[in-house]
């Protein structure tokens, strides 16, 4: 029955892929997500995402395209923010040390902000 399906699901991102993705996106964060007059053009952003794809694919379980990487990044950000939201409301387990990895310091609630 699997042969009849037109498209198979890709493998989940492994830990190495996720680490490389986070490292590279944070390295190029200003170029990818800056707003205002100094922001990058769509072509520049596309080139940066392609560069990130070339860094992720050597450690990937299966070949990833740019859309896969963008979706994974959005999911990581959403998950991190929802964890912070739950923690700032006082429910849930204590925050892991790297919880604020994907958030800017101004986005962290006062209790979760790293010491200055």
């Amino acid at each position: 029955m699997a042969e009849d399906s037109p498209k198979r699901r890709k493998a989940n991102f492994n830990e190495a892929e996720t680490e490389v993705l986070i490292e590279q996106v944070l390295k190029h964060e200003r170029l990818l997500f800056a707003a205002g007059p100094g922001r990058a053009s769509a072509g520049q952003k596309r080139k940066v995402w392609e560069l990130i794809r070339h860094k992720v694919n050597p450690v990937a379980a299966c070949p990833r395209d740019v859309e896969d990487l963008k979706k994974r990044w959005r999911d990581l950000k959403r998950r991190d923010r929802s964890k912070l939201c739950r923690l700032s409301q006082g429910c849930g387990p204590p925050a892991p040390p790297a919880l604020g990895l994907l958030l800017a310091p101004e986005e962290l609630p006062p209790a979760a902000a790293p010491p200055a």
Side-chain angles (χ1 to χ4, degrees):
M1 184 154 44
E3 294 118 18
D4 297 335
S5 63
K7 186 174 180 180
R8 288 189 49 117
R9 187 179 158 276
K10 287 187 177 181
N12 290 343
F13 274 74
N14 62 35
E15 196 172 320
E17 289 174 278
T18 302
E19 286 178 17
V20 172
L21 176 63
I22 291 171
E23 174 187 308
Q24 291 299 312
V25 170
L26 291 177
K27 181 178 177 181
H28 300 288
E29 184 176 26
R30 185 166 288 164
L31 238 172
L32 292 171
F33 307 115
R39 73 177 191 226
S41 70
Q44 290 171 318
K45 290 179 185 181
R46 192 175 330 105
K47 286 180 184 177
V48 172
W49 279 110
E50 283 295 326
L51 172 74
I52 293 170
R53 184 178 66 86
H54 287 294
K55 300 274 184 167
V56 170
N57 275 338
V59 297
C62 64
R64 305 290 183 185
D65 57 23
V66 170
E67 288 307 311
D68 295 334
L69 299 176
K70 287 180 179 181
K71 182 180 185 311
R72 177 66 173 163
W73 178 252
R74 283 190 304 266
D75 290 346
L76 287 169
K77 281 193 324 184
R78 179 187 45 79
R79 205 173 313 149
D80 200 34
R81 284 195 180 121
S82 70
K83 281 183 190 175
L84 273 176
C85 180
R86 284 194 306 268
L87 291 172
S88 67
Q89 294 170 356
C91 51
L99 181 62
L101 177 66
L102 300 178
L103 297 177
E106 61 271 8
E107 294 178 304
L108 290 171

